Amino acid sequence: MRRITAAVAAGLMTFAGLVAAGAPAQAAGTAEYVALGDSYASGVGAGSYDPASGDCKRSTLNYPHLWAAANPEYALKDATCSGATIADVRAEQLSALSANTNLVTLTVGGNDAQFSTVVQTCLTDTENACALATGWMSTYARGQLVGELTGLYKDIKARSPKALILVFGYPQALSTTGACAPIELSAKKRAGMNGLADALAEGGRKAAADAGVHFVDMRGQFNGHGACGTDPWIHGLNLTESAATFHPNAAGQEKGYATKFKSLWG
């Protein structure tokens, strides 16, 4: 297995502890990697969906597939599914884990914070309605959601005690400048939606610390590449594939998530 870089190790735990978290693997496919989570993990918005995944819309261009392609010593089990909540991950995805799992990645919590409903409110309602929706869900993300995520992370650890568990957070979806045609979003609405992303990141980081797993903050990686900007890695309002609205596009999965993921390995 390739080693985690010393810089990342220092930010998460000791270098030796991270290396020990996953069993060394020499031959292709001798280590097990399980990907869990929602549409940000499954790759909604990136295209190239596996027909066998049905409504889960797992893209062959999602960050688990891109990382696994660059690390053939790992055999990927992709259990991600569009629309998944914490309860869905626990009920429908954790069965992919085993005591032999070496690596787990996870992105979840946005649907529990009513991401789609908040987006719809901010796209179609007033600034005050958007502020109320994002504010309410931000409070939830920093409060109740922390305990719910902590419980899930601990369940993953119990099923796969030797695995390195990486929780990938959500980026801020919107650029602060640029046009969001055909529905324009005011500066106040953009700030509210990005504030919810901040709350999800803060809640996810706290839960990861409480559970003893590792949080990977994606906000810096996507800085300057939000929807409606000049070089977006995130879809704006997508009339062709509505579920892709404010989700990473193929560049977001590759240059955002996968590049960050690969940077953790030296």
Side-chain angles (χ1 to χ4, degrees), residues 108 135 137-147 149-150 153 167-172 194-210 215-219:
V108 75
M137 286 298 104
S138 294
T139 298
Y140 164 74
R142 293 187 176 97
Q144 181 180 337
L145 181 63
V146 175
L149 287 172
T150 301
Y153 301 161
V167 175
F168 285 83
Y170 300 95
Q172 291 187 343
N194 286 339
L196 175 55
D198 290 338
L200 286 167
E202 292 164 16
R205 184 188 300 278
K206 176 64 165 59
D210 291 346
F215 182 77
V216 183
D217 195 333
M218 294 304 302
R219 292 173 294 174

Side-chain angles (χ1 to χ4, degrees), residues 110-203:
N111 291 315
D112 297 271
Q114 302 296 312
F115 176 77
S116 296
T117 301
V118 171
V119 166
Q120 183 177 5
T121 298
C122 290
L123 285 173
T124 63
D125 213 327
T126 65
E127 286 186 341
N128 286 340
C130 178
L132 182 63
T134 55
W136 183 265
M137 286 298 104
S138 294
T139 298
Y140 164 74
R142 293 187 176 97
Q144 181 180 337
L145 181 63
V146 175
E148 295 169 354
L149 287 172
T150 301
L152 177 64
Y153 301 161
K154 288 181 176 179
D155 287 349
I156 293 170
K157 286 182 69 175
R159 285 176 178 258
S160 301
K162 72 177 183 180
L164 172 62
I165 301 168
L166 300 175
V167 175
F168 285 83
Y170 300 95
Q172 291 187 343
L174 284 151
S175 171
T176 57
T177 59
C180 278
I183 297 177
E184 187 50 69
L185 288 169
S186 68
K188 185 175 180 179
K189 286 185 175 182
R190 296 185 196 207
M193 293 177 67
N194 286 339
L196 175 55
D198 290 338
L200 286 167
E202 292 164 16

